[in-house]
Every structure is written in C-alpha cells, then in structure tokens.
C-alpha cells in the first residue's frame, strides 16, 4: 500500500459535486470537440501529406486531457497537474509543428513565380477552440488547489 500513499492516492475523494462534474463534462466535451478542428489555414491549396487538423497527433492529447479532468474530479490534484502539464507540452509541440508547416508552405509560394496568391497560409480558428479546454481546466485546477490548501 506504500505505492498508493507515495503517489497521494489516499487523498482521493469520490464525493463528486455537481459543480465539479459539470465543469469536467464541459471540458471533456470541449476536448473531444476540438480533436478535429482545423488548425492550419491553407487558403488556395489542399494538403495531402499533412492533415490540416493535426488529427494524427490529437489522440494522445485527447487521452491525456481527459485523464487530467478525471483525476481532478476525484481530488488527485498533483496527478491532474502533472497530466495537464504533459498536455500543455504536447499542445506546444503541435503549435510548433503547425508553424513549421505554414512557414514551409509560404516559402514554397514565394519561390514559385507561377503562383499568384493573395493570402498566406497561417493558423486557423481551431487553435482557439483547442486551447480553451486546457485553459478552463487549468483555471479550475488552480481554483480547487487554492480552496483546499491552508
């Protein structure tokens, strides 16, 4: 049983209030809904080798965020914070990859004199939706941590 004490599982509280459950369900729906939102705006071309929604890397992020929401729901704050940190690192990695893709597309457009384009490739509206779930979860995590710490 030392394993459970060492990792803080003795503080697990399965008395779930409607406020915490409602926020957890809302953040989970946001996370699932943001899985396939467009994150790269390519106005004049269709990406065939690289999906514009980064769906090839969103499965891990979805799993980690839902796990963090569940751990926060049963009062395991340290574990929820650790998994939330992992999801933020994954989000930053995806954001960096999106910047690299859009930069390479714009460089390709600039080098090709036969292409006449009026708008550069950039980040799409999906980033706001993707960042909203972890942001709300972080605020809830901090709020719950401040409420319970003396």
């Amino acid at each position: 049983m030392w394993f459970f004490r060492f990792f803080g599982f003795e503080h697990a509280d399965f008395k779930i209030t409607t406020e915490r459950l409602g926020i957890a369900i809302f953040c989970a729906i946001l996370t699932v809904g943001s899985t396939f939102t467009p994150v790269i705006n390519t106005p004049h071309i269709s990406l065939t080798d690289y999906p514009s929604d980064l769906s090839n890397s969103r499965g891990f992020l979805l799993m980690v965020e839902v796990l963090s929401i569940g751990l926060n729901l049963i009062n395991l704050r340290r574990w929820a914070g650790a998994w939330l940190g992992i999801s933020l690192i994954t989000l930053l990695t995806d954001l960096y990859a999106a910047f690299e893709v859009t930069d390479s597309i714009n460089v390709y457009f600039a080098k090709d004199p036969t292409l006449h384009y009026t708008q550069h490739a950039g980040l799409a509206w999906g980033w706001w939706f993707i960042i909203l779930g972890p942001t709300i979860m972080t605020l809830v995590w901090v709020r719950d941590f401040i409420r319970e710490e003396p």
Side-chain angles (χ1 to χ4, degrees):
M1 297 313 272
W2 67 270
F3 175 81
F4 293 112
R5 280 193 308 277
F6 179 74
F7 288 108
F9 283 101
E10 73 271 5
H11 300 295
D13 180 17
F14 291 95
K15 297 174 189 166
I16 300 170
T17 63
T18 56
E19 175 194 18
R20 292 174 67 201
L21 183 63
I23 292 171
I25 290 172
F26 179 70
C27 289
I29 289 172
L30 273 176
T31 301
V32 172
S34 69
T35 302
F36 297 105
T37 57
V39 294
I40 298 174
N41 182 23
T42 53
H44 301 292
I45 62 169
S46 174
L47 297 176
T48 56
D49 294 337
Y50 197 82
S52 65
D53 60 356
L54 295 178
S55 59
N56 55 350
S57 64
R58 299 287 296 152
F60 176 74
L61 186 60
L62 175 68
M63 177 196 67
V64 168
E65 286 182 8
V66 169
L67 181 64
S68 174
I69 290 167
L71 288 172
N72 191 39
L73 189 62
I74 61 170
N75 201 24
L76 293 174
R77 304 273 182 261
R78 291 185 183 115
W79 282 96
W83 286 105
L84 188 62
I86 291 171
S87 70
L88 293 176
I89 290 170
T90 306
L91 257 175
L92 289 175
T93 305
D94 285 349
L95 183 64
Y96 181 73
F99 277 130
E100 283 186 346
V101 168
T102 56
D103 286 345
S104 66
I105 290 170
N106 289 330
V107 166
Y108 173 73
F109 281 169
K111 287 182 181 178
D112 193 355
T114 61
L115 290 175
H116 299 287
Y117 63 96
T118 58
Q119 186 178 3
H120 292 284
L123 299 180
W125 62 270
W127 279 106
W128 294 107
F129 195 55
I130 291 169
I131 293 171
L132 188 61
T135 302
I136 292 172
M137 201 61 227
T138 303
L139 293 174
V140 168
W141 180 73
V142 168
R143 181 202 65 184
D144 290 345
F145 190 75
I146 289 173
R147 277 185 184 175
E148 294 177 7
E149 291 297 315

